[in-house]
Amino acid sequence: MKIYQGKHYNKDVYILENDQIHVKVLKDFGAKIVSIYKKDQDFELLFQASDKTYKDPNLGDNFEDYDRSGIDDMLPTIDSCLYPNSYKRLNDHGDLWAQKWDYEIKEDSLLCKVRCDSLKLDLYREIFLEEDQVRLAYKLKNLTQQDHYYLWAFHGLMNFNDSTVLDFGNAGQIINVIDGQAYDFDYRNLGAYPDKKSYKFYFQDPVEKGQVDVYYGQENVHLQMNFDTKINKYLGVWLTKGGLKGEYNFAIEPSSAYYDSLEKAYENHKVSQIASKEEKTWTLNLKLMKGNK
């Protein structure tokens, strides 16, 4: 594997590359993973910025006003809300997507690190390439004197088309968290979703097996996502089929709390907490292979 610097649209990026895949990471803000490209199949996994440019955000801005692409880490919330039992307002889609990160190039990885502005928690995300797999190793550290509630979620906006099918194994029942209505179509078949709308659902119970398979039938690509469920045991899915700014993308969102808002997760008694001086670690893997369901 090699790591070097380059450009993606109007921004500088770090590029990680091996014989099978290459990955691009924005340097300027958010440590956003903007591209995961499988060479032998000419396949780009991640949804790209619609206007092919990136604007520098300010902390506290509305996430939807920016590029809505690639992979970001949500911390300490997704929806803007109040921190539990306080009047402290938390930012839309958290802090990290709008913050400057620090980077360290290692022999076989790129280490990205940032201090969450609102709670002063330190997040480390180390990116490895292993053949056809991107491995993300996370560490969350609380160096403060206080315990903190938090919500971490993986926010990876991916491409799809009507041939794309999801397989969640035996993850259980889902709940439509936009309007509560049951879907009258197969939620695993992305071609079945009615057009010009956006969707969000969660599995109602913690998932036992952290694996989701995505089959791109037209492209003969099989994405397998594996994630730890000891800490991040909740699973949501977002999809917009032209419903948000005319864009078409979806996201599989493992999360440490249920759901979307730290305030709501606290009220649901399904919230994460990190003690003073505590350190938590977890991994998330994205493997791109050939194959159909």
Side-chain angles (χ1 to χ4, degrees), residues 8-9 12-16 21-37 44-49 54 63 67-74 96-97 101 103 110-112 125-129 133-138 152 154-159 284-286 288:
H8 190 73
Y9 300 145
D12 294 328
V13 293
Y14 289 106
I15 301 173
L16 297 79
I21 52 179
H22 70 62
V23 174
K24 296 179 180 179
V25 182
L26 280 191
K27 291 176 63 178
D28 287 350
F29 60 88
K32 180 194 291 287
I33 301 176
V34 294
S35 174
I36 298 177
Y37 178 74
E44 173 59 58
L45 175 65
L46 301 183
F47 184 73
Q48 299 297 294
Y54 298 97
F63 185 82
D67 54 89
R68 305 167 307 280
S69 67
I71 295 173
D72 293 288
D73 289 288
M74 303 289 98
L96 306 189
W97 68 275
W101 290 52
Y103 302 90
L110 177 67
L111 178 61
C112 315
R125 185 190 68 199
E126 194 162 5
I127 306 172
F128 301 84
L129 301 188
Q133 178 173 255
V134 181
R135 184 163 66 88
L136 306 177
Y138 288 91
W152 172 85
F154 181 79
H155 192 276
L157 295 174
M158 303 179 191
N159 291 310
L284 187 148
N285 302 326
L286 300 166
L288 284 169

Side-chain angles (χ1 to χ4, degrees), residues 209-250:
K209 184 179 181 181
Q211 179 174 316
V212 180
D213 293 279
V214 183
Y215 296 92
Y216 293 86
Q218 182 176 311
E219 295 82 2
N220 192 33
V221 172
H222 172 199
L223 166 68
Q224 186 174 93
M225 175 190 286
N226 290 282
F227 56 95
D228 293 342
T229 57
K230 183 176 181 180
I231 295 174
N232 305 308
K233 55 189 176 181
Y234 302 103
L235 182 61
V237 175
W238 155 265
L239 183 140
T240 183
K241 205 167 185 179
L244 176 63
K245 300 183 183 294
E247 295 173 341
Y248 288 74
N249 57 60
F250 82 107

